[in-house]
């Protein structure tokens, strides 16, 4: 897919300033309950409110409406930026013809599921004596642009301990909005608030946007200093020290992203967005604003490898609640609060270029056996931090083992959520989970999962191991699949089983190019023509080569795939190697999880 990231876009040449950027250019803000994407031009192009799976208030990313821009008035500019270390506080820096601007942006912590607060702070490092202009535009459009927002009113409110200050208020689509810090803005004929203000060198302006449900009106302050202080304090408290790990800054960023995607209700959104294309024209455009249990287990396992941090508790609690409620009818995905995922529907928008406008996801109604295997692996990893002493976790582990007993022989949709078949990865995943769990149980309780693992492996070996000693992707498909790397990396087989090394070599030969790994062959086309390299699989390759004892190769795979990001250092699901572009929804939680796990393992 060709994506163009323009270096300069001026409205007089016919554009309206809302054209999409390449996915690699967008920065992510998250507070666990929802997430926003911001372009290098200061355009907030995506935000659902009040929750991940709510309708978007700003949906330009997929061709919808809504605008919140904070940027230099001088369009002749270059931009850059970074995240403050171990946080999702984004700092952008613009150099124009006469001035240097800085903005800091964050969704305020602690988060409230019914109230979000978006902080934007603008300052000028260098400017002429007359100052430099900053352009503002605020035009929320709830309901993906279909709900009406009432007119804005400006009132005087006491903010913090200071004097009363002008605050803009409005409502619509079941939401209430307040905006402070822009007294000079004026409402135009289309209902948007627009304005320009001037900052002199060393001056700063704070803008605070609150979007809440009717129930949450009046819950909190708009005072920026206190909001910033508490947000930074929370990030320092939440993100652990990763200095002993490989690539410590990226490891901290991965942890921050995972926290920014994890709700207070426990569920972790797989990504902040919907419908971003994995490959233009292929139709693989899905809504990832939901909690996949598999992905959350990956995150929990990665965190457990580092220490007993809060995200491990979130993963165990959320997964355990779902298993105890649904048992063998466990769904692969839920909303972050544990509700069923809605069916797919179209919004009537044009979508991101090459993508679509879907919300909802059919995967929530599939049966995926490997989910139980990942759950058991999570419990085994968490056992080292005392979680198996929890009665509910032990009960849930027993339910998961029973579910495997009753269902491991039936066809299912598998990791890649395809047609129902006898997928090898799913069986090896549950073998890994059963054996890992058995190793953490007292001997009197370990016999059942150990015997079940032996039975599943024996049948899978008979049906899915090729004569050349390579694991096939399914009982009726002799090709290889990169998904097999993960259970092999986590000790599914005895250390002297030659099929591990043979399968890894086959994946390297048939599914890898230029240091990146692809999932499987879709057809006879070259790998890169069918889809992008799968970053999850690249980090799997790092883990499995380390498992085989080749640490230099593990480092090479890790570093190659770690480099597959844009300026904000976020990972999508796939990477277009030739164009060095991100593909798919952003940011993709399971890629950040495997990066974190690899950073831990390779530092041991």
């Amino acid at each position: 897919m060709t994506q163009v990231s323009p270096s300069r876009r001026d409205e007089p040449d016919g554009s309206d300033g809302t054209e999409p950027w390449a996915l690699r250019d967008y920065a992510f803000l998250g507070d666990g309950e929802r997430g926003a994407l911001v372009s290098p031009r200061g355009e907030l192009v995506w935000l659902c409110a009040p929750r991940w799976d709510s309708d978007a208030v700003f949906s330009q990313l997929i061709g919808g409406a809504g605008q919140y821009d904070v940027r230099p008035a001088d369009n002749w500019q270059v931009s850059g930026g970074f995240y403050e270390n171990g946080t999702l506080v984004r700092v952008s820096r613009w150099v124009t013809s006469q001035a240097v601007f800085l903005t800091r942006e964050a969704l305020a912590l602690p988060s409230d599921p019914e109230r979000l607060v978006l902080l934007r702070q603008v300052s000028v490092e260098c400017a002429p004596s007359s100052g430099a202009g900053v352009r503002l535009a605020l035009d929320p459009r709830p309901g993906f642009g279909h709900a009406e927002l009432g007119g804005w009113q400006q009132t005087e409110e006491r903010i913090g301990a200071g004097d009363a200050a002008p605050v803009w208020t409005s409502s619509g689509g079941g939401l209430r909005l307040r905006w402070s810090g822009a007294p000079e803005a004026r409402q135009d004929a289309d209902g948007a608030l627009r304005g320009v203000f001037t900052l002199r060198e060393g001056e700063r302006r704070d803008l605070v946007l609150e979007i809440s449900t009717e129930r949450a009106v009046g819950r909190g302050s708009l005072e920026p200093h206190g909001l910033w202080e508490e947000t930074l304090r929370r990030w320092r408290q939440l993100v652990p020290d990763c200095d002993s790990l490989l690539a410590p800054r990226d490891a901290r960023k991965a942890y921050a992203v995972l926290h920014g995607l994890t709700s207070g209700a426990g569920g972790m959104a797989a990504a902040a967005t919907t419908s971003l294309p994995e490959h233009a024209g292929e139709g693989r455009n899905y809504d990832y604003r939901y909690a996949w249990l598999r992905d959350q287990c990956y995150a929990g396992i990665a965190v457990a490898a580092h220490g007993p941090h809060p995200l491990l508790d979130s993963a165990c609690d959320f997964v355990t609640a779902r298993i105890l409620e649904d048992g063998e009818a466990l769904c692969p995905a839920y909303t972050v609060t544990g509700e069923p995922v809605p069916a797919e529907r179209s919004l009537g928008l044009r979508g991101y270029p090459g993508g679509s406008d879907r919300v909802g996801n059919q995967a929530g109604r599939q049966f995926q056996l490997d989910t139980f295997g990942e759950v058991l692996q999570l419990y085994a990893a968490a056992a080292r931090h005392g979680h198996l002493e929890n009665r509910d976790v032990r009960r849930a582990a027993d339910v998961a083992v029973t579910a495997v007993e009753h269902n491991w022989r039936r066809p299912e949709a598998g990791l890649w959520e395809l047609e129902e078949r006898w997928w090898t990865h799913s069986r090896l995943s549950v073998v890994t989970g059963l054996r890992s769990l058995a190793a953490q149980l007292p001997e009197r309780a370990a016999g059942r999962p150990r015997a079940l693992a032996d039975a599943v492996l024996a049948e899978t070996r008979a049906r899915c191991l090729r004569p050349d000693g390579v694991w096939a992707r399914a009982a009726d498909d002799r090709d290889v699949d990169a998904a097999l790397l993960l259970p092999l990396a986590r000790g599914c087989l005895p250390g002297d089983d030659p099929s591990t090394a043979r399968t890894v070599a086959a994946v390297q030969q048939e599914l890898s190019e230029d240091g990146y790994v692809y999932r499987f062959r879709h057809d006879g086309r070259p790998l890169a023509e069918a889809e992008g390299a799968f970053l999850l699989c690249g980090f799997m390759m790092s883990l499995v080569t380390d498992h085989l004892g080749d640490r230099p190769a593990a480092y090479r795979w890790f570093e190659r795939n770690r480099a597959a990001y844009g300026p904000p250092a976020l990972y999508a699901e796939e990477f277009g190697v030739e164009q060095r572009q991100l593909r798919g929804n952003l940011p993709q939680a399971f890629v950040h999880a495997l990066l974190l796990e690899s950073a831990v393992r390779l530092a041991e």
Side-chain angles (χ1 to χ4, degrees), residues 17-314:
T18 62
E19 299 87 348
W21 294 75
L23 295 179
R24 63 182 288 119
D25 291 324
Y26 289 110
F28 165 67
L29 310 176
D31 67 1
E33 305 299 345
R34 74 288 293 174
L37 261 61
V38 182
S39 82
R41 190 70 175 271
E43 304 148 338
L44 193 145
V45 300
W46 181 255
L47 176 65
C48 297
R51 304 297 296 270
W52 291 108
D53 57 338
S54 302
D55 288 356
V57 177
F58 303 98
S59 54
Q60 284 182 14
L61 184 69
I62 59 171
Q67 181 181 18
Y68 185 18
D69 300 350
V70 179
R71 64 195 195 195
D74 184 352
N75 280 335
W76 187 257
Q77 60 183 253
V78 292
S79 62
F82 60 93
Y83 286 95
E84 295 184 5
N85 199 3
T87 76
L88 290 182
V89 175
R90 179 70 179 172
V91 178
S92 297
R93 188 171 188 265
W94 289 299
V95 181
T96 73
S97 57
Q98 292 187 309
V100 178
F101 294 81
L102 288 180
T103 65
R104 296 172 82 210
E105 299 170 293
L107 284 167
L109 297 178
S111 58
D112 182 327
E114 295 191 87
R115 174 182 179 264
L116 71 89
V117 177
L118 177 61
L119 305 174
R120 306 186 87 168
Q121 185 182 87
V122 191
S123 60
V124 176
E125 282 188 339
C126 174
S129 58
S130 59
V134 177
R135 182 182 302 164
L136 302 175
L138 177 62
D139 186 20
R141 299 293 183 93
F144 293 100
H146 299 303
E148 291 188 6
L149 190 69
W152 290 96
Q153 294 182 339
Q154 194 176 62
T155 60
E156 294 287 321
E157 292 188 23
R158 187 179 178 88
I159 296 177
D163 296 332
V167 174
W168 290 99
T169 62
S170 187
S171 62
L175 300 173
R176 294 285 298 272
L177 296 90
R178 294 195 296 163
W179 189 39
S180 68
E184 58 278 280
R186 294 295 178 265
Q187 191 168 187
D188 65 14
D190 295 327
L193 291 175
R194 301 184 188 276
V196 176
F197 62 86
T198 299
L199 289 178
R200 289 179 169 80
E201 189 171 318
E203 288 186 332
R204 185 182 74 188
R205 175 75 70 93
D206 282 290
L207 302 159
V208 181
L209 175 65
E210 176 193 79
I211 304 176
S212 66
T213 65
E214 296 288 348
R215 291 188 298 272
V217 171
R219 277 190 186 173
S221 168
L222 300 184
E223 195 279 308
H225 179 75
L227 289 167
W228 273 113
E229 286 295 313
E230 182 63 12
T231 298
L232 294 171
R233 188 187 73 81
R234 294 278 177 152
W235 279 118
R236 288 191 294 267
Q237 181 185 64
L238 289 165
V239 176
D241 178 13
C242 298
D243 285 349
S244 64
L245 306 186
L246 208 63
R249 181 178 289 271
D250 283 355
R252 281 190 288 270
K253 166 68 78 55
Y255 195 99
V257 169
L258 294 173
H259 177 80
L261 291 168
T262 302
S263 166
M268 181 189 75
T273 58
T274 180
S275 303
L276 300 184
E278 297 175 14
H279 200 288
E282 294 285 339
R284 295 194 298 274
N285 317 294
Y286 305 108
D287 188 352
Y288 280 4
R289 299 171 300 152
Y290 307 106
W292 267 256
L293 297 188
R294 174 195 304 112
D295 298 18
Q296 188 138 19
C297 290
Y298 289 164
I301 291 167
V303 172
H306 188 225
H309 305 308
L311 285 181
L312 177 59
D313 298 335
S314 297

Side-chain angles (χ1 to χ4, degrees), residues 511-523:
L511 297 178
S512 67
E513 291 179 351
D514 199 25
Y516 296 98
V517 183
Y518 295 79
R519 293 187 297 170
F520 53 86
R521 286 197 175 273
H522 289 261
D523 46 44

